[in-house]
């Protein structure tokens, strides 16, 4: 355990940020799963709705610094491609 006051504060701040990031990542994963489920069921309307929510969630995570912008773009691109593949 750290003895210096600033190091103790760093530990607390890092725990708080890690918890926040974990929550945001979990929300992103959930939104992605909803899109993939809709695509698997070939439900175009539900997939479109889930896609807009997923893009919003992923973009928010990127703006908060949880994901890199290229990672965000890749996730959005793959989801959009999957939704567009529904006949």
């Amino acid at each position: 355990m750290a003895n210096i006051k600033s190091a103790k504060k760093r530990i607390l701040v890092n725990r708080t940020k890690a918890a926040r990031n974990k929550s945001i990542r979990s929300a992103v994963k959930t939104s992605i799963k909803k899109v993939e489920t809709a695509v698997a069921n070939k439900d175009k309307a539900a997939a479109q709705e889930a896609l807009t929510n997923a893009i919003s969630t992923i973009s928010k995570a990127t703006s908060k610094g949880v994901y890199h912008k290229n990672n965000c773009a890749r996730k959005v691109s793959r989801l959009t491609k999957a939704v567009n593949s529904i006949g």
Side-chain angles (χ1 to χ4, degrees):
M1 182 65 192
N3 292 322
I4 299 168
K5 187 176 181 181
S6 61
K8 289 178 181 176
K9 182 178 178 182
R10 262 300 111 211
I11 291 168
L12 294 175
V13 169
N14 286 339
R15 275 192 199 143
T16 305
K17 287 185 176 182
R20 175 177 153 270
N21 290 346
K22 190 173 184 180
S23 170
I24 293 169
R25 277 198 181 97
S26 177
V28 169
K29 286 179 186 176
T30 302
S31 64
I32 289 172
K33 282 180 187 172
K34 286 180 182 175
V35 174
E36 290 172 346
T37 303
V39 169
N41 294 335
K42 299 198 185 301
D43 187 354
K44 183 89 170 174
Q48 287 282 3
E49 181 68 29
L51 178 65
T52 55
N53 291 336
I55 290 173
S56 173
T57 308
I58 293 168
S59 297
K60 284 177 187 172
T62 304
S63 69
K64 292 176 182 176
V66 178
Y67 286 116
H68 189 273
K69 65 182 178 110
N70 291 354
N71 191 344
C72 166
R74 185 177 67 242
K75 288 179 187 297
V76 169
S77 176
R78 287 179 179 170
L79 289 175
T80 304
K81 185 177 177 182
V83 170
N84 289 340
S85 72
I86 300 174

